[in-house]
Amino acid sequence: MDITEEETRSPHLTRPERFAVIDIGSNTVRLVLFEKAPGRLVSVLNEKVSVGLGQFGEGGHVPKERIEGLLAALSRFMSLCKGHQVSHVRAFATAALRDALNGPSIRKDVETKFDLNIKLLSGDEEAMFAGRGVLSSFPHAEGVVGDLGGGSLELVVVRAGSCHEAVSLPFGILRSASAHLSGQLPEILGAQLRRVGFIGDVVGQPFYLVGGSWRSLVKAYAETKGDRLEMLQAFEPGEDFLTFCKDIAKQNSSDLNFRKVSSSRRQHLPVAANLLGIVADVVKPSTFITSASGVREGVAHEERGWLFPNDLKMILTDISTNRSRLRPATSLHEQWLGYLDIADHCRVAVQLAMAYSDAGWRKHPDLRGTHTGQEILHAELPGLTRFDRYFAANAMYCRYEGLNNDNPFAHADVLHSDDQELSVAVGLSLRLAWYLAGGAGHMIVHAKLETNAGRLLLVMAEGQGHLVNEGVVKRLAQLARHLNLEPDVVSN
């Protein structure tokens, strides 16, 4: 069956507004399409092309072949924007067009050819947008954001939900390559860092890693540790990360063989590692935190106005409402999880698990647990830690699969034994709740779980005992076994 372009514009096919962000960087040119959803922006397309505009030719000009690569990339990007019927395009350029002698003419030609308005970000603006991008995913971030691009390195202080002091330094992976090879990079960059006025105030604080090269470095590190790294966002490498970086900095890129790092990124790993080691020697971070959000997300979220638009409570309410067969009553936590001793550090993770507790029902029964857990790990949700995601993913696997020794989300490095046991209990409790209600969320109020004298009690509301069948008894027994309690069904 053929579908015409006109038919795809049918007024009956409605969806949320989409807009585009085009990032003309020194190393890559990238298109991200964002869709406006309750409490957040969701990327529906993220595509990049390695163009290398920052690899200047003689006299500090962008070579002709690089310009042609840019035009080819933008030609495809603008066609994709039309195909997605975006409301508008936000395009910006960074260090390459900022510093190239022919940068102004390239920008003018591109704007004319594609009817675009390209905002040329200053170094400080680039740093601020990187900080805002991090805050859109980590609303409570405190420390320093470091954004490594092809032509520059930005540092910005974040605290109390805002960006503060910032600096842009001409030390991107492309621009730093020659100094790296000559061995002069530590001395040159170290001297510039020590002249940055606010550096002394951020020593010993968390450091947020932004930029594809630094994220690739984290992927390479995780690969050496055997970490599956289902989720890069919020990943915190171990104490030996800097030792790993300094070792990589000494190697030739052609000798590196990391399966999870693309060849285009692999060639820059030694320079990226050297830059990070030098910065770390000065700011001495307490920890490194990986951020998949940066300048593009900062620019995108400006679309919805400050303050930061991401609202986790609104997002989870939307998921619970629109992904469940029938939205559960507000007493889901009180009646089915209230009997558990839930520590404060687990409360956000439990809220996340409840929101997704019936979100997998449309999936194939054999895949519900795995796919729902994977979605939780990768979903664009702000303000969540790696712990929150793995706790909820583990709970959802148990919610759909029951007790299964082959749980792919029982990550010992993230969930300690007590938290692991609690997440299983949460999942099995929600499994029982949704089964008893037959997927009709409002019927969850007809029962609740309590503990008393070594027993796990399923307390049925008056006149609702007929809801208890063999499946309910089986799921209650499984939960009780996990908790080392005796199961019992009683009437209220």
Side-chain angles (χ1 to χ4, degrees):
M1 179 178 65
D2 294 329
I3 299 177
T4 65
E5 184 176 354
E6 193 63 36
E7 286 175 310
T8 66
R9 299 196 187 105
S10 167
H12 301 293
L13 302 176
T14 60
R15 57 166 173 73
E17 177 190 349
R18 290 179 183 173
F19 67 93
V21 172
I22 294 178
D23 174 1
I24 303 174
S26 300
N27 192 29
T28 62
V29 179
R30 189 181 294 262
L31 167 70
V32 184
L33 300 184
F34 290 95
E35 188 170 275
K36 296 183 178 181
R40 60 177 166 164
L41 295 176
V42 178
S43 61
V44 296
L45 177 66
N46 190 325
E47 184 173 311
K48 71 174 180 180
V49 179
S50 294
V51 175
L53 293 176
Q55 296 179 6
F56 296 162
E58 293 184 6
H61 289 75
V62 178
K64 180 181 178 181
E65 64 270 18
R66 303 289 175 186
I67 299 173
E68 291 173 349
L70 169 64
L71 296 177
L74 292 178
S75 180
R76 170 175 166 79
F77 288 174
M78 295 306 293
S79 180
L80 293 177
C81 289
K82 181 180 179 181
H84 280 268
Q85 301 172 37
V86 300
S87 60
H88 59 286
V89 179
R90 287 283 300 269
F92 67 89
T94 54
L97 295 192
R98 193 164 62 224
D99 299 334
L101 291 182
N102 57 342
S105 63
I106 295 173
R107 180 184 170 201
K108 181 179 179 180
D109 290 346
V110 168
E111 288 184 329
T112 301
K113 180 177 177 63
F114 296 105
D115 192 24
L116 271 178
N117 178 25
I118 301 174
K119 180 176 178 60
L120 186 63
L121 299 183
S122 68
D124 284 351
E125 285 176 323
E126 189 175 352
M128 287 296 180
F129 277 121
R132 291 169 180 173
V134 169
L135 286 169
S136 72
S137 291
F138 303 89
H140 306 294
E142 299 274 342
V144 185
V145 172
D147 182 8
L148 177 62
S152 61
L153 166 65
E154 280 71 43
L155 300 173
V156 58
V157 179
V158 290
R159 62 175 178 271
S162 299
C163 299
H164 297 273
E165 302 90 343
V167 67
S168 179
L169 303 171
F171 289 92
I173 53 168
L174 301 179
R175 191 170 291 181
S176 302
S178 59
H180 167 76
L181 290 174
S182 69
Q184 296 178 304
L185 188 56
E187 180 182 352
I188 299 172
L189 176 55
Q192 288 218 25
L193 285 170
R194 283 184 281 272
R195 288 197 292 269
V196 174
F198 63 82
I199 285 294
D201 299 329
V202 296
V203 171
Q205 296 187 20
F207 191 94
Y208 291 83
L209 296 163
V210 176
S213 294
W214 276 347
R215 287 194 294 270
S216 294
L217 197 59
V218 172
K219 289 180 182 178
Y221 167 82
E223 186 174 326
T224 65
K225 295 296 181 182
D227 194 307
R228 294 169 298 186
L229 200 62
E230 287 96 344
M231 181 192 62
L232 187 63
Q233 181 79 308
F235 178 76
E236 298 183 30
E239 294 180 357
D240 60 343
F241 180 52
L242 277 180
T243 302
F244 167 82
C245 290
K246 292 180 179 181
D247 179 60
I248 293 294
K250 298 174 185 176
Q251 299 189 44
N252 190 307
S253 61
S254 61
D255 296 329
L256 300 177
N257 184 25
F258 295 107
R259 294 181 299 103
K260 295 185 178 181
V261 180
S262 67
S263 58
S264 61
R265 291 293 187 190
R266 200 181 307 141
Q267 64 179 316
H268 300 303
L269 283 181
V271 181
N274 198 3
L275 287 165
L276 185 56
I278 297 165
V279 173
D281 284 343
V282 176
V283 302
K284 302 182 184 340
S286 59
T287 186
F288 292 99
I289 302 171
T290 313
S291 174
S293 302
V295 178
R296 290 179 294 275
E297 288 71 25
V299 170
H301 282 283
E302 191 179 54
E303 286 289 315
R304 296 182 64 174
W306 301 116
L307 297 172
F308 296 98
N310 285 345
D311 184 328
L312 184 60
K313 183 177 181 180
M314 183 186 298
I315 295 168
L316 296 185
T317 299
D318 176 62
I319 293 170
S320 177
T321 301
N322 295 313
R323 299 283 299 280
S324 302
R325 284 166 286 186
L326 284 174
R327 183 184 177 185
T330 55
S331 56
L332 177 61
H333 181 278
E334 177 185 346
Q335 296 197 214
W336 290 91
L337 301 178
Y339 76 100
L340 294 170
D341 184 16
I342 299 175
D344 287 342
H345 73 278
C346 297
R347 295 197 180 279
V348 172
V350 171
Q351 293 291 328
L352 179 60
M354 287 194 298
Y356 274 94
S357 61
D358 199 44
W361 71 272
R362 288 186 176 91
K363 304 179 188 297
H364 188 281
D366 293 344
L367 301 174
R368 286 171 183 164
T370 302
H371 283 193
T372 305
Q374 287 288 349
E375 180 180 346
I376 290 170
L377 292 187
H378 295 285
E380 297 182 57
L381 302 171
L384 295 177
T385 66
R386 200 168 186 235
F387 171 87
D388 295 332
R389 292 178 185 262
Y390 270 99
F391 183 105
N394 188 61
M396 285 304 93
Y397 188 82
C398 296
R399 179 261 187 267
Y400 286 109
E401 300 292 336
L403 286 177
N404 188 325
N405 294 327
D406 190 30
N407 189 336
F409 306 108
H411 203 310
D413 292 338
V414 181
L415 300 179
H416 297 305
S417 58
D418 289 347
D419 298 325
Q420 164 74 13
E421 293 300 305
L422 178 60
S423 70
V424 172
V426 168
L428 295 179
S429 298
L430 294 171
R431 177 178 174 82
L432 173 59
W434 280 102
Y435 182 87
L436 182 135
H442 61 279
M443 293 181 65
I444 282 173
V445 299
H446 294 326
K448 63 180 178 179
L449 288 170
E450 295 179 355
T451 57
N452 184 16
R455 294 187 302 160
L456 176 65
L457 305 178
L458 175 61
V459 183
M460 301 301 301
E462 183 177 356
Q464 299 299 327
H466 60 278
L467 293 176
V468 179
N469 66 0
E470 182 181 353
V472 170
V473 171
K474 178 181 176 181
R475 286 159 176 75
L476 175 64
Q478 190 177 62
L479 172 59
R481 186 165 64 253
H482 173 70
L483 297 171
N484 292 318
L485 299 171
E486 289 295 323
D488 199 2
V489 179
V490 298
S491 297
N492 198 354

